[in-house]
Amino acid sequence: MTGFVIVDKKTGVSSAKEVNIIKKLTQTPCGHMGTLDPMASGVLPVAIGNSARLFNYFLDKRKIYEAEFIFGCDSDTLDTTGKMLKSGGYVPSEVEIVKVLPEFSGEVMQVPPRYSAKNIEGKRGYQLARAGIDFTLPPKKVNIYSINLKGRVSENSFSFIIECGGGTYIRSIARDLGERLNTCAVMSSLKRTQSGVFTLENSVRTENLTAENIEQYIIKTESVLPYESIKPSETEAKKLFNGLTVQSCLTDGIYKIFRTEGSFYGLAEVKHNILKVRTKLC
């Protein structure tokens, strides 16, 4: 069994727990395509079986989030789940916020949160932080395609719509936006509404899934891959599906390759007029 189930993850549940539910229902190894913190909700694409081999193809896809930031507050985790370090600070106006938002779009150097899964000499950042060990995380380049103020939620909190590339920390945006406005800010809620081709509209809560109905929620692997399809001849197929290469006049690039009878096989690559199977999926 292969394909994807788009889970609408609940707040307070780990991504791993949601994946385990799909694993038990399908009785197939599964993995998620981009984790969500427990406090976050929304789109969590779960890859079933060999579809998990496509992780790198989805790694840098655009993601859209709805986030809420509380201004005038700070915490050790950069969100409201952590230890509050400050509260009651300055709260900027909507006009002040909108004025500086363009500075946060484009290629941005961003320092990840200390409480994160970033690897530091074999240890996760959150493990070192919980142990009280002092360490520094280097900034990394991320892509923030747009960040827009959606509206004011309360006296000190505002909601935002953020479209960004993989590896972007929304909590870090809250921190940096607060610092830019001469105050501080933490993330109070986060919902992912889109991850690449996967959207909230096509998602399902795991409590609504059963072993009997899960198949109707599985999206075919080939339907979410944005590549041209090819079907080799019987002679070519015998070579390709046994690890050999064949000559090709196709343009260099990645292709969805199908068996001669029409069933999906996986991904192939053409390079310098040589066609080779790159990833077997089905």
Side-chain angles (χ1 to χ4, degrees):
M1 184 180 292
T2 60
F4 296 90
V5 173
I6 310 170
V7 171
D8 180 5
K9 192 185 90 64
K10 296 183 295 185
T11 301
V13 178
S14 72
S15 296
K17 184 175 181 180
E18 298 281 43
V19 171
N20 283 334
I21 292 173
I22 306 298
K23 180 179 179 180
K24 290 179 181 178
L25 292 174
T26 60
Q27 296 186 336
T28 306
C30 298
H32 56 71
M33 313 295 276
T35 189
L36 283 172
D37 290 339
M39 77 170 292
S41 64
V43 174
L44 180 70
V46 177
I48 301 169
N50 288 342
S51 296
R53 297 176 180 177
L54 295 171
F55 180 82
N56 288 336
Y57 293 92
F58 293 99
L59 189 62
D60 295 322
K61 298 299 182 184
R62 294 191 181 204
K63 300 173 175 64
I64 299 177
Y65 295 92
E66 293 181 5
E68 291 184 11
F69 299 160
I70 298 178
F71 287 84
C73 297
D74 193 15
S75 78
D76 57 355
T77 60
L78 305 185
D79 59 35
T80 51
T81 68
K83 178 182 178 182
M84 296 305 295
L85 304 175
K86 181 180 180 180
S87 62
Y90 176 68
V91 178
S93 68
E94 292 177 73
V95 172
E96 290 175 301
I97 294 172
V98 170
K99 185 178 180 179
V100 303
L101 286 183
E103 300 176 23
F104 291 84
S105 295
E107 286 190 345
V108 178
M109 295 303 294
Q110 183 185 77
V111 177
R114 288 166 61 84
Y115 281 84
S116 67
K118 297 297 291 183
N119 194 298
I120 302 97
E121 297 182 356
K123 295 286 186 178
R124 299 295 186 182
Y126 62 81
Q127 293 175 321
L128 298 177
R130 287 171 183 166
I133 298 173
D134 188 35
F135 64 97
T136 301
L137 286 169
K140 67 167 190 171
K141 186 183 294 183
V142 298
N143 287 302
I144 301 176
Y145 302 106
S146 66
I147 174 169
N148 295 292
L149 178 65
K150 184 178 179 182
R152 193 169 201 137
V153 178
S154 66
E155 183 180 351
N156 63 349
S157 65
F158 300 82
S159 63
F160 299 83
I161 303 294
I162 301 168
E163 183 175 3
C164 58
T168 304
Y169 285 94
I170 308 300
R171 288 176 289 152
S172 291
I173 295 177
R175 175 200 61 206
D176 297 342
L177 182 58
E179 290 179 356
R180 176 63 182 82
L181 292 164
N182 298 313
T183 183
C184 49
V186 295
M187 186 180 75
S188 55
S189 75
L190 182 68
K191 175 184 281 189
R192 185 159 65 195
T193 60
Q194 184 170 338
S195 178
V197 297
F198 306 110
T199 64
L200 199 59
E201 288 74 19
N202 296 320
S203 65
V204 60
R205 286 287 180 94
T206 49
E207 63 260 34
N208 295 325
L209 294 173
T210 65
E212 291 71 34
N213 72 9
I214 191 169
E215 283 197 28
Q216 67 186 19
Y217 293 99
I218 297 176
I219 299 171
K220 291 183 178 180
T221 309
E222 61 267 34
S223 69
V224 298
L225 293 168
Y227 304 115
E228 185 180 339
S229 300
I230 58 173
K231 186 166 67 173
S233 66
E234 289 188 16
T235 302
E236 292 173 329
K238 287 180 181 178
K239 293 182 178 180
L240 290 168
F241 300 152
N242 284 286
L244 301 177
T245 63
V246 299
Q247 288 288 322
S248 174
C249 59
L250 294 169
T251 304
D252 283 6
I254 305 296
Y255 293 84
K256 292 185 289 188
I257 187 167
F258 290 76
R259 293 184 176 91
T260 51
E261 74 274 13
S263 61
F264 181 58
Y265 185 84
L267 294 178
E269 182 178 21
V270 175
K271 185 180 292 185
H272 306 309
N273 300 117
I274 299 296
L275 173 62
K276 182 179 181 179
V277 172
R278 181 166 174 169
T279 306
K280 178 182 177 181
L281 297 172
C282 302

